Amino acid sequence: MSFNILSLDGGGIRGIVAAKMLSIIEKQIDKPLNEYFQLITGTSTGSILAAAIASGRSSQEIVDLYKQQSSIIFPYRKRFSLKRLPLLFKHGISAPKYSDKGLIQVLQGVFGDTTLFDITSPLLLIISFDTIERSPIFFKSWRQDKGYGNVPLWEVCVCSASAPTYFPAHKLNRRIGGTAQDGYSDAIILDDGAASVDNIYNNMQISIIDGTGISQTRTIKKYIGSTRTCTIYPAWEKVPDKTSIYSIKSQYSAIDGGVAANNPSSCAVAEALRLGYSIQDIRVLSIGTGERTRIIPFEQAQHWGLIQWAQPLIGILFDGSSEIYEYITKQIAHQRILRLQFKLDRELTGKRLSDDIDDVSPENISNLLEAAQVYMQQPNIQTSLHKFLSN
């Protein structure tokens, strides 16, 4: 039996392209997408699409969401807008372009009190990145043992969509747990699941929640990552040992998952394999948000410094990530993947398609929707889609 995966790229407002494609596909299969796919994954704007579909919303509802509420998320275009003054007062000249208030407002309105673990079918995988441990965060609706806990679905999406330079990082509480490897009067050695970065747990609280030394809570004064040793204060009343289960109250500093995997398809394939599905049964529908065509000539790039690279670099990193993960997925899944993606040029409709993630002008939104419609009507795309959906 096939294990169908839907993978959705990041891309800001260009997520409306993927939503439009999905609305056409949803009509063709004549059933809700959350009943057709067994695992849905998304990054950044793709996380919003993925969470909305997994929670039972139709693709057309998501198209309408982008059309009606994107201006709340991106309320102005220019960095020197008067509306941005509160951000400059709060963060200084290097402030992100937007506050996350609009993003949070829209996502809370969409998902309400729904939490990650409320999504039981299909499986939901959302990608973010933690700047503290410099590692990806894989939010999995089926893993209730993870340190992020039962996060509100809106907050999972904020973590995944907080693009650097556009939005501030998002703070999310987490619990780090494990079994002690040893203990001393003023120290405890954590297990291999703990971070290898020095001082990362300094000043955090560690509690013994089971085993020897249960109910003790101490402050971590120093952490040595190479040996995973916490020096604590005050000293233990009862020294923990290898039976002791610990919990550290920590936090994520979450930014856009596109830093790790703007195209999360290979992450989803890896999870399907870990869940025991055969590679022969895995099929992937991977949908992009439009391929950038804006070039950076060598004559410009060779002279650029920090200021000039700041904004374009995000798009370049995301593009590179998408291409690499598409390559990996194709090497693993071979003919069992269908990638839907078109270039953001005038070829499809003769109209300008902005590659900016925050161009929410009515003209650009209309042009993106029209281009997606034309792209999906192409005979070669319809043939490929029919073949994928028929297998």
Side-chain angles (χ1 to χ4, degrees):
M1 184 176 178
S2 294
F3 186 82
N4 299 324
I5 294 173
L6 174 61
S7 175
L8 301 162
D9 287 17
I13 184 55
R14 302 198 322 265
I16 199 169
V17 167
K20 181 62 177 178
M21 292 182 187
L22 287 169
S23 69
I24 295 169
I25 293 169
E26 195 163 20
K27 290 179 182 177
Q28 291 188 16
I29 63 176
D30 196 27
K31 63 164 41 175
L33 293 172
N34 66 339
E35 294 180 12
Y36 183 84
F37 293 98
Q38 284 72 53
L39 191 157
I40 302 177
T41 184
T43 296
S44 194
T45 197
S47 75
I48 300 171
L49 279 161
I53 293 166
S55 58
R57 287 163 178 81
S58 71
S59 303
Q60 187 56 50
E61 287 181 83
I62 305 168
V63 170
D64 294 340
L65 171 70
Y66 278 103
K67 290 170 66 175
Q68 297 166 9
Q69 302 202 49
S70 58
S71 61
I72 298 174
I73 299 172
F74 303 114
Y76 45 83
R77 287 299 310 280
K78 296 181 179 179
R79 284 186 171 271
F80 298 102
S81 168
L82 291 176
K83 294 180 181 180
R84 192 166 172 258
L85 285 177
L87 278 175
L88 294 173
F89 289 135
K90 182 177 181 179
H91 301 290
I93 194 66
S94 62
K97 187 173 181 179
Y98 303 105
S99 164
D100 59 3
K101 290 182 180 178
L103 178 64
I104 291 173
Q105 175 188 329
V106 169
L107 293 178
Q108 285 181 334
V110 172
F111 298 113
D113 297 328
T114 304
T115 64
L116 179 63
F117 298 156
D118 287 337
I119 308 300
T120 56
S121 180
L123 303 178
L124 178 63
L125 172 66
I126 289 176
I127 317 297
S128 181
F129 189 85
D130 177 28
T131 67
I132 297 174
E133 293 202 12
R134 302 285 184 99
S135 62
I137 310 169
F138 297 103
F139 291 101
K140 306 175 187 181
S141 63
W142 65 97
R143 290 296 301 272
Q144 300 187 15
D145 58 318
K146 292 294 184 178
Y148 42 73
N150 197 12
V151 195
L153 202 52
W154 67 262
E155 193 166 18
V156 174
C157 294
V158 170
C159 288
S160 183
S162 294
T165 76
Y166 288 93
F167 296 107
H170 185 78
K171 183 173 74 172
L172 180 68
N173 292 330
R174 68 180 295 200
R175 285 279 179 182
I176 301 166
T179 303
Q181 301 302 291
D182 210 343
Y184 306 95
S185 62
D186 63 347
I188 182 172
I189 299 177
L190 309 184
D191 64 20
D192 291 343
S196 59
V197 180
D198 287 344
N199 302 318
I200 197 168
Y201 301 137
N202 287 9
N203 301 315
M204 295 182 183
Q205 299 291 304
I206 183 169
S207 302
I208 306 301
I209 59 174
D210 201 2
T212 302
I214 189 172
S215 298
Q216 296 180 98
T217 297
R218 297 292 185 268
T219 300
I220 299 172
K221 303 302 293 181
K222 184 177 181 180
Y223 179 71
I224 302 174
S226 59
T227 59
R228 293 178 171 78
T229 301
C230 297
T231 301
I232 56 93
Y233 180 84
W236 300 111
E237 293 179 10
K238 188 171 183 60
V239 177
D241 57 25
K242 293 182 179 179
T243 69
S244 305
I245 308 298
Y246 63 82
S247 176
I248 300 172
K249 186 178 180 181
S250 181
Q251 66 184 35
Y252 292 112
S253 169
I255 62 173
D256 197 298
V259 172
N262 199 51
N263 172 348
S265 57
S266 61
C267 302
V269 171
E271 289 300 329
L273 293 172
R274 290 184 66 182
L275 289 167
Y277 293 95
S278 167
I279 189 62
Q280 286 75 26
D281 295 331
I282 296 172
R283 296 160 69 250
V284 183
L285 177 60
S286 175
I287 302 183
T289 59
E291 181 181 339
R292 290 179 176 90
T293 57
R294 194 186 319 188
I295 65 171
I296 302 174
F298 171 73
E299 289 75 18
Q300 290 182 21
Q302 69 172 331
H303 299 299
W304 279 7
L306 180 63
I307 294 175
Q308 294 91 340
W309 276 112
Q311 202 85 59
L313 187 60
I314 300 302
I316 291 169
L317 291 174
F318 287 5
D319 286 348
S321 166
S322 291
E323 295 294 328
I324 289 170
Y325 281 100
E326 179 186 353
Y327 173 79
I328 293 171
T329 305
K330 284 185 175 179
Q331 296 308 305
I332 297 172
H334 301 295
Q335 302 302 314
R336 293 178 296 278
I337 176 173
L338 175 61
R339 174 73 169 168
L340 299 179
Q341 173 83 306
F342 60 81
K343 291 184 177 181
L344 295 168
D345 55 23
R346 297 177 183 269
E347 184 177 336
L348 287 169
T349 64
K351 298 177 181 178
R352 177 181 176 272
L353 303 177
S354 173
D355 61 10
D356 292 332
I357 70 171
D358 59 345
D359 186 348
V360 297
S361 63
E363 179 187 11
N364 186 52
I365 289 176
S366 176
N367 290 350
L368 290 172
L369 287 170
E370 184 181 349
Q373 179 77 41
V374 172
Y375 173 77
M376 292 296 287
Q377 289 174 342
Q378 293 181 118
N380 62 318
I381 299 301
Q382 279 297 308
T383 299
S384 297
L385 185 59
H386 178 76
K387 181 179 177 182
F388 179 86
L389 296 174
S390 299
N391 288 337

